[in-house]
Amino acid sequence: MPSAADTPTGKLPFVVWVLAAGTFLMGTTEFVVAGLLPQIAGDLGVGVSHAGLLITAFAVGMIVGGPTMALATLRLPRRLTLVLALAVFVLGHVVAAVSSSFAVVLAARFVTALATGAFWAVGFVIATATAGPARATRAVGVMMGGLTLANVVGVPIGSFVGHYTGWRGPYWALAVLATLAAVFVGRFIPRTEQRAEVSVRAEVRALRQGRLWLALAAAVLIMGGVLATYSYITPLLTDRAGIPAGAVPLVLVVFGLGALGGTAIGGRLGDHRPMLTTITAAAITALALVLLIPLSSGPVTAVALVFLMALAGFTVNPVVTSLAVRFAGDAPTLTSALTTSAYNTGIAVGSALAGQALDTSLGVTGPPLVGTVSAALTLVPLIALALSGTRNPARIVTQGTAPASADAGTTAPVPCRR
């Protein structure tokens, strides 16, 4: 695989963009359900809050699948791991699309999430290693940009199509697109061999870093705050803000644009001022969410605050992901998987609590309240991380990503600045 040194200054390797395309599909399937919950609930004969378990199940699958599949595939060539993950992704969507049982669809979502966790865990390592230490956060931002672009394009289009073809239509489309993605990954991700010295023991040893767990805690809380609200954004927009159901996909585009902008901001600023960037963004996220409770009765203010919570919330993501991989030192694969699991722990817990809040007297304002608390708590690990200092050198290691015929080297230390 080409190293960072082979890439012109300022440009990211093409591999990073290929991986971003893969995360686009996986981000679409994870979040498109939020715009289709009423249709899915009606078709499968369950309540809307019960249908929301499809979001929780996917998140739980990512929590389990990320670290489990990262360790299970540690000795496999990374290109093969990515292709196999996409194959399981396709199978899960086909099973869900042909089933009329909620339990089967729920199980298919879980299995699909296992494959997604494997893809993201390996993909983040490849992206940071090929980009090099100076552009690692930017590479993570681009790869996560595929996820946020899914919210701009994939989720709204899927929601729009689902309103006319039924929720199964987007599932079939994702199965076809993932098949094509597997072909492209097989074509453009160079064949690599995992280095022999990479071991499960080395990966687990990396988890002793206290700073790593602070970064993971921030990932849990910020994503829990944003997605607790986003998971049930449709009833908030239609029942409280008075936005027609047919216009909800347009609001999802606004959310996606905010998420895309936040990811870009975090990717650009995170390499230089990680703690200032994340603390400021988390505080703004909490503010946007708490304001959404009284101001969501107006469509204009509701949409504006949805944009702001996405913009600020997603600014945190690439920074804490990059920091976690840096803190892992020589064993980044399991840490990368745990970062993905951390985000999805936030999604699972946040969406579950939001679903419960939705069924209380709080109604549609319950999810934003849950989100506010979670986003505000994000400041605790971030401030602790800032006080502990992030100036100690940490390395993003390129071992295991070089072609089998090439000699692998190590990167220079990467200082993290406040």
Side-chain angles (χ1 to χ4, degrees), residues 15 19 44 102-103 126 219 256 258 284 299 343 380 383 394 407 412:
V15 166
L19 293 169
L44 299 179
F102 180 79
I126 294 174
I284 294 174
Y343 288 126
V380 176
I383 292 173
D407 294 329

Side-chain angles (χ1 to χ4, degrees), residues 309-331:
M309 79 168 183
L311 181 71
F314 277 78
T315 296
V316 178
N317 296 349
V319 185
V320 294
T321 299
S322 181
L323 286 175
V325 173
R326 289 178 182 182
F327 295 154
D330 292 339

Side-chain angles (χ1 to χ4, degrees), residues 163-321:
H163 280 288
Y164 292 95
T165 67
W167 65 272
R168 301 175 194 274
Y171 266 66
W172 282 113
L174 285 165
V176 172
L177 291 173
T179 301
L180 294 175
V183 174
F184 274 86
V185 166
R187 168 66 179 83
F188 290 106
I189 302 294
R191 185 177 67 86
T192 60
E193 298 292 343
Q194 194 71 3
R195 286 175 62 90
E197 61 264 28
V198 176
S199 67
V200 173
R201 182 177 298 178
E203 294 285 341
V204 173
R205 267 202 309 268
L207 304 185
R208 297 176 182 175
Q209 281 262 17
R211 296 180 302 170
L212 168 63
W213 291 103
L214 289 173
L216 292 177
V220 170
L221 291 166
I222 193 64
M223 190 55 70
V226 174
L227 268 297
T229 305
Y230 182 75
S231 296
Y232 297 97
I233 197 68
T234 298
L236 178 73
L237 296 174
T238 56
D239 298 349
R240 182 169 172 80
I243 296 174
V248 168
L250 297 178
V251 182
L252 299 183
V253 171
V254 172
F255 176 90
L257 288 171
L260 186 63
T263 302
I265 292 170
R268 288 288 182 178
L269 299 182
D271 282 321
H272 305 290
R273 293 289 182 269
M275 302 321 304
L276 177 62
T277 300
T278 51
I279 290 172
T280 302
I284 294 174
T285 304
L287 178 63
L289 286 166
V290 73
L291 290 177
L292 192 60
I293 298 172
L295 300 180
S296 58
S297 57
V300 175
T301 53
V303 173
L305 289 170
V306 166
F307 173 82
L308 182 59
M309 79 168 183
L311 181 71
F314 277 78
T315 296
V316 178
N317 296 349
V319 185
V320 294
T321 299

Side-chain angles (χ1 to χ4, degrees), residues 93-160:
H93 281 74
V94 170
V95 170
V98 300
S99 177
S100 59
S101 166
F102 180 79
V104 171
V105 176
L106 192 69
R109 286 276 293 177
F110 179 80
V111 172
T112 301
L114 293 178
T116 301
F119 186 95
W120 283 10
V122 174
F124 278 133
V125 175
I126 294 174
T128 55
T130 56
R135 291 168 296 178
T137 303
R138 184 181 169 199
V140 170
V142 168
M143 187 175 167
M144 296 186 75
L147 172 64
T148 52
L149 187 62
N151 288 295
V152 178
V153 179
V155 171
I157 290 178
S159 180
F160 179 80

